[in-house]
Amino acid sequence: MNSRPIVWTIVALIVLGTFTASLTVDLIVDYVWYGAVGYREIFTTTLAAKIGIAAAGVLVAFAALLTNILVALRLVGGLGRILPPEAMHTPIGNQLTKRSSTTLATVASAVLAAMSAVALAANWEEVLLFANAVPFGHVDPIFGRDAGFYVFELPFYQIVQSYLTSTAFLVLMATGAVYFLYFQAQRGATPAVDEIALLLATPKPHRLHLAAIGSLILLLWAVGLYLERYEVMYRGGGLFTGPGYADINGTLPVLMIKAAVAAIVAVGLLVAVRAERWRALVVLGGALAVVWVGGGFYAPALQRFIVSPNELERERPYLEHHIKATNRAYALDRVVERRLAEDEQLTFADIEANRATVNNVRLWDHEPLLDTFGQIQEIRTYYDFVSVDNDRYHIGGELRQTMLSPRELNNAALPSRTWVNERLTFTHGYGLTVGPVNRVNEQGLPVLYVQDLPPRSSVPELAVTRPEIYYGEVPTDYVFVKTLQQEFNYPEGEKNIFSTYEGSGGLELGSLWRRLLMAAHARDFTMLLSNDFTDETRILIYRNIEQRVRKVAPFLTFDRDPYMVIDEGRLFWVLDAYTISDHFPYAERIGNTLNYMRNPVKVVIDAYNGSIDLYLVDPEDPIAAAWNAVFPGALKPVTELRASLREHLRHPVDFFGVQAQMYTTYHMLDVNTFYNKEDQWSVPEVGDQRMEPYYTVMRLPGESEAEFILMLPFTPRLKDNLAAWMVARNDGDLLGQLVVYRFPKQRLIYGPKQMVGRINQDPEVSQQITLWDRAGSNVIRGTLLVIPIEQSLIYIQPLYLRSEDGRIPELKRVIVGYGNDIAMGVDLEDALRRIFSGASGSSSIPATPEVAVSAASGTSATGVDEAAGPAARARRHYQALREAAGQGDWTRFGRELDELGRALRELEP
């Protein structure tokens, strides 16, 4: 007896059993986990949808397959008629002839149906959105359908049509296989008969059966062609996304004709086969080919001979639809535009009136600051600062922009990577580093509000009472807490401080069955042998915050940059979530992924407990409203988010970047201007890189108070001067509001590239950089910032110095550009003073007490009477320089040194 079939059967059963057991374990763990984080309804609804969709697909395919296979078997006379004569007396032949046709047909149909429906469950999002569709309130101008039809309904119809078509093809192949086997068996039984003659002698019922299936496929194809008419509404490839003149007058009618001809051919196929009119089949096939080939030439011909010679006038109404739809799709129809003054000269008074703006200019770039944090605040090698986030806090009654970076634990960098260390002892990161964006100490390093281990805060508003970070951007694996093994908290001198988790995060691991379940889920059976577990032990899984939120809300798309917030002494992560679609009619596409985007949901995660809250900030977004109907209560109103956390919500950079890129073209609402690209803008480039949006605190023109904004300047296409700048407001009810400030076209404002050129040509700047280079230091040029003040703007660029031995980068100089003037100072205040020192009717900048006193007394910003001669001023600056050195005031020291140099240069013959 051959044992191979038995062995392979056993192997197959083992593989299938292992897969099924693994899937079951994962489902049970997820069921428990979703319940622990408060989103079990999302798990059950999603799972039920997947099972329901797959079951519906299996039932449809099974019914179609079983019915047609049984009909075919009955028409050929049973299983015995499809086997060749030589196979009838084999063991397999004997077994098949003994089995019922229904039994074998049922098994074959079930297997084929299951295989065909597996992928169908992946469309659960489209099905749930179809069942909970919400109108957009935006009607397409061609078919008069609401955009909700394209976003919610059309994808569902396309899925159904596609699945039914593929099922019909599967039925045709299965049925055709039965008839083919029958044909082969008959040929073997009558070898003297010619194959062609035997084929022509195929019984009429067989032909009718196959023709009926073929007709169904053609009808489903006709339905697909009918639905394809709507796909044209968001299809790109021409002058713009959406149908133009050639599509309206060519593509759409041709698709309708093709659908009608396909339906006629479907009926004609059945009639011709029934009546055995074979010439009619040739005619029908020819008609279909003619329509198909001819229709493919019609729309291109219209485009070539009718549209192209007079494109603007032919496409004018459709361009209007396209511009309007694109602005609607990216929320650009809400943009507020403001005009700036034709001629605005900044003075010291303007600088002082915008003190909140000046005091919050970001002088620390992310990369140098991350390097600095890594060298002065990581403390141990297994801590990592992986990102720097911008935020704002009210400190001492003043709105201050800050740079914040969490100190996370990197298990891969542990000196001893044992199971106990990685799973029980080193379980969390600890604390964070926070500093103002514009302050440095005497060594050129950032001033820190929060630093060291344990975290020390120099301002009460940023006090941290729960610094442990169990959930973050770095963790990728599970850990155990509340065990007999104490958890490492932070180092203190030569010893380590340990603690025990006091939170409610994770899953209980007290019982044996729960431990077995988690061991199987984690594929880690060491936990079954550990003696460190207690009845209160918990396992923390899905600790990476991006993985965590994608598991809770797989129907949303998430921003790439989560950021941390300090609130009431605790640490929270905030993530932005998007709703997107690629089916919005007439809207311009971004790549091949989307042509509609909103940011309606903010996610807040507790870094200690791992709790997840989804807040709906834009209830007017139809896609978010639909998901809110699918999962009632999952998206909480933003009013339920406590006010202290709500103050830290912001418009995300990714979304703003998309909106800004679109607005460079789609601010042109006039069709003539749009078509000719007369007023197209672009995002400026500095060097070989495009400027990125950046956050800052400033008082917008015409506003009374400073606020936290996200901004980006624009230049005219192929030109370097500035045309406008866009901001996204972030505070209070203005969250997400876009405002664009336009410069008058007759006013020339230097753009970033032009200002970089002027900075490079400045003798003082180039001389200083050359001196540093000769001394063996590496000069790092910081990001060039455009800082609007009143109706004008200034440019600011920090310079960092790093020695060749790779030491910590230090902020050494700040360059300010305004109009034709360039100045470099030891700090921002110094550079601003140099720029505006000759402004009429203005006062100095009170950056330090010494500066304020000098302004009141009519002396220079360094406390020296500028009316005195250069020799006297040199002596006084030298004396002031020595005093500053004795007091450790290195900022003042740098200013006095520069003023001393200026006085000495005046003494040169």
Side-chain angles (χ1 to χ4, degrees), residues 630-647:
V630 174
F631 306 112
L635 304 180
K636 302 175 183 178
V638 72
T639 52
E640 294 186 13
L641 178 62
R642 63 173 176 264
S644 56
L645 265 175
R646 199 157 61 240
E647 291 179 355

Side-chain angles (χ1 to χ4, degrees), residues 465-735:
T465 58
R466 179 57 76 185
E468 297 88 348
I469 303 174
Y470 283 89
Y471 300 87
E473 296 181 85
V474 173
T476 58
D477 223 333
Y478 57 92
V479 295
F480 302 95
V481 295
K482 295 187 178 182
T483 66
L484 297 178
Q485 186 77 30
Q486 283 193 310
E487 302 171 47
F488 172 78
N489 227 19
Y490 59 90
E492 187 175 68
E494 298 299 323
K495 63 178 182 177
N496 293 330
I497 305 301
F498 294 87
S499 68
T500 299
Y501 184 68
E502 299 175 352
S504 57
L507 306 177
E508 293 181 355
L509 205 64
S511 61
L512 177 61
W513 80 268
R514 180 66 68 87
R515 196 186 297 190
L516 287 168
L517 180 69
M518 297 311 302
H521 172 72
R523 280 68 168 172
D524 179 5
F525 295 96
T526 306
M527 69 176 74
L528 299 177
L529 306 175
S530 176
N531 296 321
D532 291 311
F533 294 165
T534 70
D535 292 340
E536 296 182 354
T537 296
R538 307 178 75 87
I539 180 172
L540 310 186
I541 59 175
Y542 307 136
R543 296 196 303 136
N544 182 278
I545 55 174
E546 294 186 28
Q547 176 194 24
R548 197 170 182 82
V549 295
R550 285 190 173 92
K551 199 158 187 70
V552 163
F555 48 88
L556 297 173
T557 301
F558 292 94
D559 191 80
R560 296 173 298 173
D561 183 28
Y563 60 99
M564 179 166 277
V565 173
I566 304 172
D567 182 62
E568 298 182 357
R570 300 179 66 91
L571 304 180
F572 296 89
W573 292 99
V574 180
L575 285 83
D576 288 282
Y578 306 118
T579 52
I580 62 174
S581 175
D582 59 354
H583 280 55
F584 198 86
Y586 263 121
E588 183 63 25
R589 305 177 73 87
I590 298 178
N592 295 316
T593 54
L594 61 94
N595 70 348
Y596 173 91
M597 189 175 188
R598 287 292 188 276
N599 172 223
V601 178
K602 307 288 187 178
V603 185
V604 178
I605 301 177
D606 189 318
Y608 188 72
N609 287 323
S611 60
I612 308 169
D613 292 295
L614 310 174
Y615 293 99
L616 184 63
V617 296
D618 183 8
E620 296 182 3
D621 174 45
I623 300 179
W627 285 121
N628 208 24
V630 174
F631 306 112
L635 304 180
K636 302 175 183 178
V638 72
T639 52
E640 294 186 13
L641 178 62
R642 63 173 176 264
S644 56
L645 265 175
R646 199 157 61 240
E647 291 179 355
H648 295 278
L649 300 182
R650 68 188 192 188
H651 196 69
V653 170
D654 285 353
F655 187 29
F656 183 74
V658 168
Q659 291 177 305
Q661 184 60 44
M662 283 296 172
Y663 199 73
T664 58
T665 300
Y666 290 91
H667 71 277
M668 298 181 289
L669 302 181
D670 177 73
V671 173
N672 284 22
T673 306
F674 180 90
Y675 178 80
N676 294 310
K677 301 295 186 287
E678 296 174 16
D679 192 28
Q680 187 175 9
W681 298 339
S682 62
V683 177
E685 292 186 358
V686 178
D688 58 351
Q689 292 186 337
R690 290 202 331 165
M691 289 191 72
E692 296 291 335
Y694 52 90
Y695 293 101
T696 189
V697 170
M698 64 171 290
R699 182 172 66 84
L700 293 173
E703 302 295 335
S704 59
E705 296 183 358
E707 55 187 284
F708 187 62
I709 58 100
L710 176 64
M711 74 162 291
L712 187 68
F714 298 128
T715 59
R717 186 172 66 99
L718 303 179
K719 294 184 178 180
D720 295 327
N721 59 289
L722 278 188
W725 46 280
M726 173 186 273
V727 302
R729 306 177 77 173
N730 295 285
D731 295 341
D733 295 334
L734 297 176
L735 175 64

Side-chain angles (χ1 to χ4, degrees), residues 45-58:
T45 302
T46 302
L47 182 62
K50 291 178 180 179
I51 293 174
I53 294 167
V58 168

Side-chain angles (χ1 to χ4, degrees), residues 4 24 26 86 94 178 312 398 440 474 510 527 542 545 553 604 639 671 747 818 876:
R4 285 187 178 181
T24 303
D26 291 344
E86 62 271 15
N94 291 331
V178 173
L312 176 58
E398 181 182 353
V440 296
V474 173
M527 69 176 74
Y542 307 136
I545 55 174
V604 178
T639 52
V671 173
R747 182 181 174 191
Y818 171 65
R876 293 173 186 176

Side-chain angles (χ1 to χ4, degrees), residues 41 123 172 369 373 619:
E41 184 180 0
N123 299 296
L172 180 63
L369 188 62
F373 284 169

